[in-house]
Amino acid sequence: MKCPKCQAKNLEGAELCRQCGAKLEKACPNCGATNLPQYRFCGTCGHNLAPAPEPMPTVAPQQPIPTAKEVVKMRPRVPTGIEGLDNLLSGGLQQNKVFLVSGEAGTGKTIFCMQYVLAGANRGENAVYVSIDEKPSHLMEDAQSLGWDLKKYVDEKRITLLDVTPYFADVRAGKEKAIDVRTVVTDLTKQIQRIKAQRLVIDPIAPLIFGEGSTVQVREYIRSLIFSIADNLECTTLVTSGIPSGTSKLSQYEVEEFVVSGIIVLSVSSLQARRVRTLYIRKMRGTPTDLNDHVFEILPERGIVVREAA
């Protein structure tokens, strides 16, 4: 309250001014009568002398907490080009991740990979194909037998079929025990940048481990290689791995499946007294999938065509 004499501010309820010592009184706003400062009501008319409460501060409305969908930007999908498969993958593979195509010999792993890079080429996406078990010329012949003109895209420098012989030269000469992961990734980076590739295939990945080593060392090498590819090469990558017949293994060294973002298993199964090729999606991060076996065929010009669930 203000002192009527010196206008100094005083605590509410004080009887004397702290500045000049004058007796403090407050006038009733209703009848004008003076009242002692400790009075809550006017002694003349009974009016409430308590000061009006200060208005509550305006609180800005809280912003809604962003949901996970708003915080995490969904990766684009890369179509595989394989009939019936992209529907099972919510549109395709997540961009710039590494995926494993696993299966016994003769189940269609190389055809799967060729179909993948050709589908990209038809979409204007270049690719690097590291073919380790087959020479590039044999790969083009195999594609031609299915009615695919892989050579056309190779001649146009849209698809690079990479000869991996230089990787093994020092190992075979006894100068090195194994191939340096950094060398592989550096060379792949150069090839990818040269043609601005968006798709990469390593078919199969196991021979890149060339050389003697303990199981622990081999597994650590594979782990390092796959992580390096995922972190440094801006490509959606397929790596293949053969598995022995009659086993439940998903890869040759049993570590590939733990470090890739997805696994597609190709196999030959018995169905109603006949042998059929089947495919199932064992793992696919960020993608709802089922674990059913799906029958597929390999047809001229169309390649792998996924049919109904087995």
Side-chain angles (χ1 to χ4, degrees):
M1 86 183 334
K2 285 187 178 181
C3 173
K5 183 176 180 181
C6 67
Q7 299 300 310
K9 290 184 178 180
N10 294 271
L11 294 175
E12 194 67 33
E15 296 185 4
L16 299 175
C17 175
R18 62 181 178 83
Q19 185 72 27
C20 66
K23 187 176 181 181
L24 298 176
E25 294 179 338
K26 52 185 176 182
C28 173
N30 185 47
C31 66
T34 57
N35 294 270
L36 293 176
Q38 62 266 35
Y39 284 12
R40 293 187 58 193
F41 299 95
C42 176
T44 303
C45 69
H47 184 75
N48 188 355
L49 300 177
E54 294 184 3
M56 293 291 290
T58 303
V59 179
Q62 289 187 343
Q63 295 296 323
I65 299 174
T67 63
K69 187 175 181 180
E70 293 171 332
V71 172
V72 180
K73 184 179 180 181
M74 301 301 291
R75 285 178 182 258
R77 296 278 172 173
V78 176
T80 64
I82 294 173
E83 284 186 55
L85 178 59
D86 290 331
N87 290 337
L88 301 176
L89 297 174
S90 300
L93 305 170
Q94 287 193 326
Q95 191 178 61
N96 296 345
K97 290 192 174 184
V98 182
F99 302 89
L100 173 66
V101 180
S102 176
E104 301 173 11
T107 52
K109 298 185 296 296
T110 296
I111 292 174
F112 188 109
C113 293
M114 284 196 295
Q115 196 165 344
Y116 170 70
V117 297
L118 285 166
N122 290 330
R123 287 167 49 89
E125 299 172 5
N126 296 346
V128 172
Y129 195 120
V130 183
S131 178
I132 297 173
D133 283 350
E134 290 194 65
K135 293 181 179 179
S137 59
H138 293 170
L139 201 64
M140 287 188 283
E141 290 174 10
D142 293 342
Q144 188 66 42
S145 69
L146 283 166
W148 295 337
D149 193 357
L150 180 60
K151 186 177 183 301
K152 168 192 171 185
Y153 292 110
V154 173
D155 291 342
E156 293 175 353
K157 302 189 186 307
R158 301 277 310 284
I159 295 177
T160 295
L161 300 181
L162 188 60
D163 182 4
V164 299
T165 303
Y167 293 150
F168 301 118
D170 288 341
V171 176
R172 286 174 176 155
K175 297 178 182 179
E176 301 288 345
K177 291 184 178 180
I179 302 167
D180 190 342
V181 168
R182 292 169 297 181
T183 300
V184 175
V185 174
T186 299
D187 288 352
L188 285 176
T189 301
K190 291 177 182 177
Q191 295 291 342
I192 287 166
Q193 290 176 344
R194 184 175 61 83
I195 64 170
K196 296 181 173 60
Q198 292 142 297
R199 300 188 182 210
L200 170 66
V201 168
I202 302 177
D203 177 29
I205 193 172
L208 285 181
I209 289 81
F210 194 92
E212 297 294 331
S214 68
T215 302
V216 173
Q217 289 174 325
V218 169
R219 287 178 175 174
E220 186 54 39
Y221 176 92
I222 294 174
R223 188 189 308 274
S224 177
L225 177 60
I226 291 177
F227 282 161
S228 294
I229 290 171
D231 292 342
N232 298 291
L233 306 182
E234 294 184 357
C235 283
T236 307
T237 304
L238 295 184
V239 298
T240 71
S241 180
I243 54 177
S245 299
T247 70
S248 58
K249 294 175 65 174
L250 295 175
S251 62
Q252 184 166 340
Y253 291 99
E254 298 183 283
V255 68
E256 297 96 308
E257 61 261 37
F258 295 104
V259 293
V260 295
S261 294
I263 307 168
I264 297 172
V265 181
L266 309 182
S267 60
V268 176
S269 307
S270 295
L271 180 65
Q272 298 175 353
R274 62 191 180 100
R275 307 289 286 177
V276 295
R277 288 187 173 92
T278 59
L279 168 156
Y280 85 99
I281 303 165
R282 176 60 182 262
K283 162 185 168 182
M284 197 61 58
R285 290 174 183 159
T287 305
T289 59
D290 63 50
L291 290 175
N292 294 322
D293 286 331
H294 294 267
V295 175
F296 71 88
E297 297 179 86
I298 299 176
L299 303 175
E301 297 186 356
R302 296 170 68 186
I304 293 175
V305 178
V306 179
R307 301 298 190 186
E308 75 285 354

